[in-house]
Amino acid sequence: MNFYKTFAFSSYLMALVGIISLTTAEGSLYLVILSSIAISIAYYLVELKKRVSIGKTFSIIFALGGIFFSVFDFLVISKSFVLSLSHLLCIIQIIKFFQKKEDRDYWQIYLISFIHLVVASALTTDISFSIFFITYLIASIWTLTLFHLKREAAGKVLGNEIINKFFFTNTAIVTLVTLIFTIAIFLVLPRIGIGFFKKSLKREKLLTGFAEETVLGDIGLILKNPDIVMRVELLIPKGPIANKLLWRGIAFDYYTGKKWKQSIYQKKLLTSDARGVISVKGSYSDSVKSQKENLILQRIILQEMNSNVLFGLDHIRSISNLSSGLKRIYVDYTNSISTTWPHFQMIMYDVASSTESEFIEILSEKELKPYLQLPKTPIRIKNLAMKIIGDENDPFQKAIKLERYLKFNYGYTLNLKRTPGTEPIEDFLFFQKKGHCEYFASSMVLILRILGIPSIYVNGFSGGEWNEFGAYYLIRQKDAHSWVEAYFPDRGWVSFDPTPSTGNSLFGEGIWGTLSLYMDSLQMKWDSYLINYNFEDQKRVAFKMQRQIKTLQSTTENVLIKLRNSFSILAQVFIKKIKYFLMPLTIILILFIAFLIIIKARKENIFKNLLKPLKEKTKIIFYNDMLKILSDKGFKKKPETTPLEFVSIIRGDKGIDFNQIFLVTEKFYKIRYGHKELLKSEETLIQQVLKKLRGLK
Amino acid sequence: MHLPRKLKFTKEGTRFVILCIGIGIAAINTGLNLLFLILAMMLSSIIISGILSEISLRKISVKRFHSSRGHAGDELTIKFTIENLKMFLPSFSLIIKDKSFEDLSAYITKINANQKITFPCKKIFLNRGLFELKEILILTRFPFGLFEKSSKILCQSKIIIYPRIKQINTETISLPKHFLQSPFNNLAIKNSDEIFHGLREYRLGDNPKRIHWKSTARFLKPMIKEFEKHQESNISILLDTFLVENNDQKQKEFLESAISLCASLANFFISKNYNIFFSAYTPQFTKISFAKGRDQLYRILETLALIKPNSSKNFSFLLDELSESQITGYVIAILLNVNQGKNKISAKINLPGTLLHTINIREHSVFNYFKIHQTA
């Protein structure tokens, strides 16, 4: 593959991933499409067709245009400095792609794409970021490696031998190893969370009905909103709960006739024990009748929202495992749990809740007084109350009767109509006879209070969609609900829900429904293990690893001891039984090994190579014989004398035939240096010469 | 032998680390785990960068081949052989730098496993002398150009650069004619230092190889060629290295010219098969006895290459050190100082059969070569 084409492609890919991650995190589809098209056009025209590259003047003009647009963006569109700056960087990056690029330009493009990724990480917590992250990692490794090679070559043309299958395989391995290191470092990096400028760039969800006061109708505003509020993983027990689920948020005691609010603005700061568990105990006064509790442990991942309320399954007993965003936890006199600030970013915490029937709170008359507050109530509501309870004397039964009455005699609707000149509750009870949960709950609280039963109006969420893949409940804004808590001296606070039930899963049916559930469970895991990974999780991981190492150590020791024992027994048996066969077995083993060696050596011509010098030595032995004969005759060849020099030295002396000696020497040269074979006739001749030499005196 | 690795940041690497710190601060401040993820990615790329650069440098053998001698002003080829001794993995982006030369470096984009690459570099040594070549530096900035990892390979060797040899302008040399020719005529025995003297009658014991057959046929009795040793085949070159002021640049230039002239003369006469004797203060008293051939030339050139000026012993001292047998035949004295009077030298070198020529570098431009005045 062409080096330069691959380099250009990976550079554009890296920039594209950066831009798409940013625009996707913003949730702006048109920006995703627009920027993708712009970069694709740039790649096509500039890199593939080599047609266009804009000059400096045009670049400046476009950049100025970009600056004006980003000012407009800051003031009107995004109204965020960071986002408008990111958009400006997008524009600059695209302009750079249309220019003729030098090394410095490439560095700027890569830096901008990195900034896009960083901004995207601050804007989103969606699992789609993981795909962008991994793609960016792959693209950046390719790009930076190729860019480095291109720079270092400094004008030298790089051939196609670099980009081959080996390069891509290696890059894939490098990416995988980098990812492993990334995860390891991520797990280990300390989570301190100083939090000077902690407000997230992400816009928190607007959630009405969970502030210090709520107007009748606030909950109704969000009952059509499918946005996810929280995910609740059931830790104990695992699996869906059969009972009706009421996720308690905030409670109100004072009704003005149109809105609910808290009469006493007083909160108690809760502290954690040595294990980091914050005990709520369910009572502002902390007095309890029974400690026997059957707890339900939930892990709640709460999305960012403009409320500081913490939710949990009714009745919340303790909170623990707080994510880094949670510092101070408060409880008020209505047992509503909250933090100092609204949740600017996603938070995670564990809640232990007990079933209401096993928990009893003791309250004095003075403490119960706010829960009996009534506004100016029309007489017919009081008459209705009497009519509903009939002869019933037991307060609890009265409440049950009232709950049933409202549930079965009034209809549910989100499309409210109002009768002019009437109070909302009066209108609901006597004219409209249908409404949503706020009206049902408010009506019940009023009537209970008329009957002298202390009660409060509670806002929270009800039900949720069970996701079997992740074993958690998904709660959306449309699950927002209002219900009633009534106090009975022998039962404590008991929840009543007079609203007729409604609601469908938004995940749908069939394969898409299943796929949606699965994707949401992945999102849940992403939120749980990565987005909300905190110091407590780090401690847990460290302890777990420590335990696993210890377990592994002891397991290994046990296995080794067992092995050792087994071997010693086996060895004893073996020695006893096999000692007679030891010798033959050893011989067979040696022979077998030798056989294998020979096969291998033959394969690699080792013997041939070993024998080669030996063969050669054998072939030239005649020359050594001749030297020996001559030495005996008094002609000793000195080591520094070459064979031919030796011939010339002994020339003509003592009757030695020079020609014969020369012939033998020549044949020696032929074999030794010419690596040739002697003919039969030559061998015969040599033998004759040697014979003659031996015969000389 | 490899020395330990060294690591340093490049410009981009410094910026990358600063960016890491910035992201780290942002992550710690906001507590956003995705920022921690990005920080972790950056830190792991630093680790990967270190691992890959180490793999690139590992098991790379660099060898330097060159001739052990050269001449000043001539191109010398230095060959580098780089071999990747790894079994499977290639190395990328290697820069080879020879620490002995600032401008000698090479870049290798990729070298496969078990591959050997050879590349020659040409280097001109302007000055004579002994050059010790030191270590070779091999470095890489692979894979991202953030850090530079280098390793030195000890690869010591020496090159002796001989003085510049130039052709002698024989027209400017006022030498007896026979000095411009080979001292041997056709009748000389090969590799003999004798010259044909005449013919005489063969006597018992004479070497029969010296029988001159033509004369024998003419005189009808065996006639043999007679040779005598050619004393005039000896040439002594004496070099004055005395500098009054060692730091004087002009004097040093004269010395260099004198050395170059010495080398050129030695080369010229050895090519004519003369016996050459050489002596000078280097700064110790040095003499190279009479000999001929290329070996003798290289001995003289090697001495000339390593000569350092001396500021204590002038030419007279040199003459005093020499014996009569060492200043016979043709003596060429190359002088640096004007005060070395020719008569003074002649008085010292006054043997029968000795011919003295002086070349005073200060008086005669070396570019004319051997514009010398023959003395009696």
Side-chain angles (χ1 to χ4, degrees):
Chain A
M1 277 178 78
N2 183 275
F3 178 88
Y4 298 99
K5 280 186 181 161
T6 312
F7 167 67
F9 176 77
S10 65
S11 298
Y12 279 78
L13 179 66
M14 190 176 162
L16 190 66
V17 171
I19 282 184
I20 291 180
S21 69
L22 172 69
T23 48
T24 307
E26 272 186 79
S28 171
L29 184 64
Y30 82 92
L31 276 179
V32 171
I33 296 167
L34 212 63
S35 48
S36 307
I37 291 171
I39 289 181
S40 305
I41 291 171
Y43 178 68
Y44 178 75
L45 290 175
V46 178
E47 303 300 332
L48 294 182
K49 292 293 172 190
K50 307 269 181 223
R51 238 192 250 166
V52 171
S53 65
I54 57 175
K56 239 185 180 168
T57 316
F58 277 110
S59 306
I60 293 169
I61 293 168
F62 284 129
L64 283 170
I67 291 170
F68 284 125
F69 172 78
S70 65
V71 170
F72 176 72
D73 183 17
F74 174 61
L75 293 172
V76 177
I77 309 174
S78 63
K79 292 182 185 169
S80 160
F81 176 73
V82 173
L83 285 178
S84 55
L85 188 64
S86 303
H87 296 156
L88 176 62
L89 289 175
C90 280
I91 295 167
I92 291 170
Q93 192 180 48
I94 291 168
I95 292 170
K96 282 212 170 287
F97 275 126
F98 279 100
Q99 282 179 321
K100 198 165 174 220
K101 294 174 274 295
E102 314 228 323
D103 287 349
R104 194 183 56 179
D105 296 310
Y106 279 111
W107 272 123
Q108 289 166 358
I109 287 167
Y110 304 149
L111 181 64
I112 291 171
S113 70
F114 179 75
I115 291 170
H116 289 156
L117 191 76
V118 170
V119 173
S121 73
L123 282 177
T124 186
T125 53
D126 200 71
I127 195 172
S128 59
F129 183 82
S130 62
I131 299 166
F132 297 126
F133 179 79
I134 291 170
T135 315
Y136 186 85
L137 183 64
I138 296 169
S140 61
I141 288 174
W142 278 355
T143 308
L144 293 177
T145 307
L146 294 175
F147 181 62
H148 161 73
L149 292 174
K150 178 179 164 299
R151 268 184 90 193
E152 294 289 288
K156 190 174 112 183
V157 173
L158 291 169
N160 299 343
E161 72 280 1
I162 294 169
I163 311 296
N164 51 22
K165 209 166 50 177
F166 183 80
F167 173 80
F168 289 111
T169 315
N170 272 12
T171 324
I173 295 170
V174 168
T175 307
L176 189 64
V177 173
T178 308
L179 203 56
I180 292 169
F181 276 122
T182 302
I183 293 166
I185 294 170
F186 173 81
L187 290 174
V188 158
L189 280 172
R191 302 301 198 271
I192 305 169
I194 299 168
F196 283 118
F197 299 102
K198 244 184 137 186
K199 187 169 158 46
S200 167
L201 290 173
K202 198 174 176 185
R203 292 196 187 96
E204 56 272 4
K205 290 183 174 52
L206 292 171
L207 206 64
T208 54
F210 297 95
E212 269 110 28
E213 58 181 53
T214 179
V215 177
L216 271 181
D218 273 353
I219 292 290
L221 289 174
I222 61 174
L223 287 177
K224 287 182 183 173
N225 193 330
D227 284 352
I228 296 168
V229 173
M230 58 183 168
R231 291 178 179 85
V232 183
E233 189 184 352
L234 291 180
L235 302 176
I236 300 167
K238 292 229 181 258
I241 297 174
N243 299 342
K244 188 176 175 75
L245 298 169
L246 292 171
W247 310 98
R248 198 177 193 277
I250 190 168
F252 305 95
D253 62 326
Y254 190 92
Y255 183 56
T256 63
K258 286 192 173 60
K259 60 181 170 185
W260 284 97
K261 61 182 187 178
Q262 292 183 331
S263 61
I264 307 164
Y265 185 72
Q266 203 169 353
K267 293 183 182 184
K268 188 168 97 172
L269 177 66
L270 297 170
T271 51
S272 60
D273 60 16
R275 295 170 303 150
V277 177
I278 298 171
S279 183
V280 174
K281 285 212 172 126
S283 168
Y284 190 69
S285 64
D286 278 346
S287 50
V288 297
K289 195 169 177 182
S290 166
Q291 292 292 328
K292 193 177 172 188
E293 298 175 312
N294 202 3
L295 294 177
I296 299 171
L297 192 59
Q298 318 122 63
R299 175 157 294 161
I300 297 178
I301 299 167
L302 193 59
Q303 301 293 317
E304 50 282 325
M305 58 173 64
N306 63 335
S307 167
N308 61 349
V309 172
L310 290 182
F311 299 88
L313 200 61
D314 211 12
H315 302 266
I316 296 172
R317 290 295 163 256
S318 65
I319 295 177
S320 59
N321 196 19
L322 303 166
S323 62
S324 59
L326 296 174
K327 295 279 187 239
R328 289 164 165 261
I329 308 293
Y330 301 91
V331 66
D332 66 21
Y333 67 102
T334 63
N335 299 323
S336 304
I337 318 292
S338 60
T339 57
T340 318
W341 303 108
H343 313 311
F344 297 125
Q345 59 189 42
M346 190 191 297
I347 54 172
M348 190 171 80
Y349 56 95
D350 290 351
V351 170
S353 305
S354 70
T355 54
E356 116 192 42
S357 56
E358 292 179 17
F359 181 80
I360 301 166
E361 202 174 336
I362 301 166
L363 294 171
S364 64
E365 264 191 46
K366 190 182 171 190
E367 284 171 321
L368 288 171
K369 202 176 167 190
Y371 309 132
L372 291 164
Q373 176 268 337
L374 279 167
K376 194 176 169 192
T377 313
I379 194 73
R380 47 180 162 177
I381 296 180
K382 289 178 187 171
N383 292 339
L384 178 61
M386 293 306 151
K387 180 188 162 193
I388 292 167
I389 60 159
D391 299 326
E392 189 55 68
N393 289 322
D394 183 44
F396 182 71
Q397 293 303 323
K398 287 179 187 176
I400 298 273
K401 262 184 143 175
L402 177 59
E403 184 191 44
R404 274 194 200 133
Y405 181 84
L406 289 170
K407 202 175 257 189
F408 295 116
N409 290 286
Y410 290 84
Y412 187 91
T413 181
L414 290 175
N415 301 319
L416 289 171
K417 291 185 184 131
R418 290 281 286 118
T419 306
T422 55
E423 293 290 323
I425 300 301
E426 190 186 359
D427 185 27
F428 164 72
L429 284 171
F430 298 104
F431 296 103
Q432 303 300 329
K433 296 208 175 182
K434 52 187 172 182
H436 52 71
C437 53
E438 288 172 288
Y439 292 88
F440 284 92
S442 301
S443 302
M444 185 164 175
V445 170
L446 274 182
I447 295 173
L448 282 173
R449 285 180 179 185
I450 288 169
L451 297 172
I453 300 170
S455 50
I456 51 176
Y457 169 86
V458 181
N459 271 350
F461 295 88
S462 164
E465 295 159 71
W466 174 250
N467 187 318
E468 62 209 9
F469 292 106
Y472 64 91
Y473 283 100
L474 180 73
I475 290 105
R476 302 179 190 270
Q477 287 202 28
K478 67 167 194 58
D479 296 318
H481 195 54
S482 301
W483 65 90
V484 176
E485 281 181 7
Y487 180 79
F488 304 95
D490 55 339
R491 292 173 192 270
W493 288 101
V494 179
S495 301
F496 292 91
D497 187 5
T499 312
S501 56
T502 56
N504 298 316
S505 167
L506 281 181
F507 282 121
E509 302 284 322
I511 193 159
W512 292 113
T514 311
L515 198 62
S516 305
L517 278 171
Y518 184 70
M519 288 307 298
D520 197 79
S521 73
L522 287 178
Q523 178 68 48
M524 162 81 168
K525 290 204 185 325
W526 169 258
D527 289 343
S528 180
Y529 295 125
L530 197 128
I531 301 297
N532 286 294
Y533 184 72
N534 57 24
F535 183 61
E536 291 300 321
D537 292 321
Q538 282 182 312
K539 278 200 296 191
R540 222 192 327 263
V541 166
F543 285 136
K544 199 174 177 182
M545 275 181 69
Q546 201 180 31
R547 270 199 307 272
Q548 278 182 343
I549 289 169
K550 277 192 181 152
T551 311
L552 188 67
Q553 267 179 341
S554 62
T555 312
T556 313
E557 272 173 23
N558 291 338
V559 166
L560 285 174
I561 289 168
K562 275 187 188 160
L563 269 172
R564 192 184 64 191
N565 292 339
S566 316
F567 271 127
S568 67
I569 295 167
L570 259 173
Q572 283 169 15
V573 166
F574 182 77
I575 288 166
K576 254 191 209 165
K577 299 209 173 189
I578 304 294
K579 76 177 163 192
Y580 297 110
F581 301 100
L582 204 61
M583 180 63 101
L585 270 175
T586 312
I587 294 169
I588 291 169
L589 193 66
I590 292 170
L591 286 173
F592 181 67
I593 293 170
F595 175 70
L596 287 174
I597 292 172
I598 291 165
I599 298 286
K600 189 161 168 64
R602 276 193 71 165
K603 223 175 169 181
E604 292 177 16
N605 288 326
I606 290 175
F607 292 129
K608 258 193 195 165
N609 293 337
L610 269 177
L611 289 172
K612 212 172 167 181
L614 193 64
K615 255 185 170 174
E616 268 188 14
K617 217 174 173 180
T618 320
K619 281 183 192 169
I620 59 168
I621 207 165
F622 65 88
Y623 184 74
N624 293 335
D625 288 341
M626 185 187 78
L627 287 179
K628 192 167 180 315
I629 296 165
L630 289 171
S631 173
D632 292 340
K633 303 278 180 234
F635 298 100
K636 196 173 172 139
K637 178 179 168 298
K638 289 181 189 168
E640 64 269 20
T641 312
T642 66
L644 276 178
E645 281 176 350
F646 182 60
V647 168
S648 62
I649 286 166
I650 61 169
R651 182 175 169 166
D653 283 344
K654 285 196 181 171
I656 291 171
D657 189 348
F658 159 77
N659 289 321
Q660 290 184 337
I661 309 293
F662 184 75
L663 177 91
V664 175
T665 308
E666 202 186 35
K667 298 305 169 200
F668 167 74
Y669 269 110
K670 186 178 172 182
I671 297 166
R672 182 71 178 85
Y673 300 109
H675 300 291
K676 291 197 172 126
E677 299 283 329
L678 281 179
L679 300 169
K680 275 275 181 215
S681 55
E682 287 171 329
E683 282 178 22
T684 316
L685 188 62
I686 287 166
Q687 292 307 319
Q688 282 174 354
V689 167
L690 290 178
K691 196 177 172 185
K692 207 174 173 183
L693 278 174
R694 280 191 201 101
L696 278 177
K697 286 181 187 164
Chain B
M1 182 185 141
H2 284 250
L3 294 175
R5 306 264 194 264
K6 274 190 181 170
L7 186 71
K8 70 173 190 184
F9 292 113
T10 59
K11 208 169 45 176
E12 289 79 24
T14 312
R15 289 173 190 166
F16 185 82
V17 169
I18 292 169
L19 193 60
C20 269
I21 293 170
I23 298 291
I25 291 170
I28 290 171
N29 183 49
T30 59
L32 287 174
N33 273 318
L34 290 182
L35 275 181
F36 277 108
L37 190 66
I38 292 175
L39 177 65
M41 178 184 73
M42 294 172 84
L43 293 174
S44 65
S45 31
I46 292 173
I47 297 170
I48 288 295
S49 185
I51 294 171
L52 289 178
S53 60
E54 176 62 31
I55 290 172
S56 262
L57 281 185
R58 193 164 271 274
K59 288 198 172 177
I60 295 291
S61 153
V62 182
K63 287 180 185 154
R64 180 174 51 210
F65 299 97
H66 57 81
S67 170
S68 58
R69 46 197 182 193
H71 287 271
D74 289 351
E75 246 180 19
L76 188 77
T77 300
I78 300 173
K79 203 168 64 167
F80 292 93
T81 301
I82 295 130
E83 194 177 358
N84 183 359
L85 299 168
K86 295 192 283 287
M87 277 186 71
F88 303 108
L89 298 171
S91 285
F92 289 92
S93 191
L94 297 174
I95 299 171
I96 315 293
K97 280 186 182 175
D98 194 326
K99 292 286 277 178
S100 314
F101 311 105
E102 277 178 13
D103 56 345
L104 210 62
S105 72
Y107 175 73
I108 297 163
T109 310
K110 180 183 175 186
I111 178 168
N112 289 320
N114 298 314
Q115 188 185 2
K116 207 189 257 191
I117 294 176
T118 303
F119 61 90
C121 293
K122 293 207 187 294
K123 178 78 187 163
I124 296 175
F125 290 87
L126 295 172
N127 300 315
R128 63 171 178 101
L130 176 69
F131 291 87
E132 287 192 20
L133 303 186
K134 294 167 191 164
E135 59 263 351
I136 297 172
L137 185 71
I138 173 168
L139 62 93
T140 183
R141 297 183 198 109
F142 186 75
F144 308 133
L146 302 176
F147 308 100
E148 185 181 282
K149 192 175 265 189
S150 61
S151 172
K152 283 186 189 166
I153 301 169
L154 284 179
C155 192
Q156 284 165 332
S157 59
K158 292 179 187 178
I159 302 179
I160 292 181
I161 299 297
Y162 298 143
R164 210 176 285 245
I165 291 178
K166 291 173 185 167
Q167 267 198 329
I168 298 294
N169 185 355
T170 54
E171 286 177 15
T172 61
I173 301 172
S174 305
L175 288 170
K177 242 187 184 163
H178 63 264
F179 281 103
L180 302 175
Q181 300 163 0
S182 169
F184 306 109
N185 58 23
N186 290 338
L187 304 176
I189 295 173
K190 222 178 182 180
N191 295 328
S192 168
D193 59 355
E194 297 172 321
I195 195 164
F196 178 68
H197 180 68
L199 293 168
R200 62 169 172 79
E201 201 173 332
Y202 176 83
R203 290 193 286 266
L204 198 64
D206 284 337
N207 189 347
K209 287 180 185 171
R210 291 194 176 187
I211 294 173
H212 191 245
W213 296 105
K214 269 191 178 168
S215 314
T216 303
R218 201 182 319 140
F219 291 112
L220 297 171
K221 50 186 173 180
M223 297 299 281
I224 190 166
K225 288 175 282 192
E226 203 171 37
F227 294 90
E228 63 177 7
K229 275 224 186 285
H230 183 64
Q231 291 191 344
E232 286 185 336
S233 69
N234 287 353
I235 294 182
S236 300
I237 302 175
L238 310 175
L239 176 64
D240 174 21
T241 59
F242 177 67
L243 292 184
V244 177
E245 284 170 38
N246 238 338
N247 292 328
D248 189 339
Q249 196 57 36
K250 196 143 176 129
Q251 288 197 15
K252 282 185 178 175
E253 279 173 20
F254 284 136
L255 177 63
E256 292 302 322
S257 304
I259 290 169
S260 181
L261 181 59
C262 227
S264 306
L265 284 169
N267 179 55
F268 174 74
F269 288 118
I270 279 176
S271 67
K272 301 287 179 201
N273 220 3
Y274 281 92
N275 281 317
I276 305 294
F277 171 86
F278 174 78
S279 183
Y281 281 110
T282 63
Q284 301 85 2
F285 172 69
T286 305
K287 63 173 182 176
I288 299 173
S289 306
F290 281 106
K292 59 173 73 165
R294 302 300 291 175
D295 289 343
Q296 176 68 347
L297 175 65
Y298 284 121
R299 278 191 286 270
I300 294 170
L301 288 177
E302 196 160 318
T303 307
L304 286 171
L306 301 174
I307 276 182
K308 288 189 174 58
N310 91 86
S311 49
S312 54
K313 292 189 175 166
N314 62 20
F315 195 68
S316 303
F317 285 95
L318 184 67
L319 290 176
D320 292 339
E321 300 260 18
L322 297 170
S323 64
E324 279 183 10
S325 64
Q326 288 165 337
I327 39 175
T328 60
Y330 193 52
V331 178
I332 302 173
I334 301 171
L335 308 171
L336 290 182
N337 299 285
V338 177
N339 291 334
Q340 299 285 354
K342 294 165 212 157
N343 294 331
K344 209 170 166 184
I345 294 164
S346 304
K348 288 203 171 184
I349 302 174
N350 194 17
L351 296 166
T354 300
L355 204 56
L356 170 68
H357 292 267
T358 56
I359 303 168
N360 197 312
I361 299 295
R362 285 176 192 269
E363 288 179 356
H364 307 109
S365 167
V366 73
F367 292 107
N368 293 332
Y369 288 159
F370 313 141
K371 254 190 183 165
I372 55 173
H373 300 287
Q374 192 168 345
T375 59

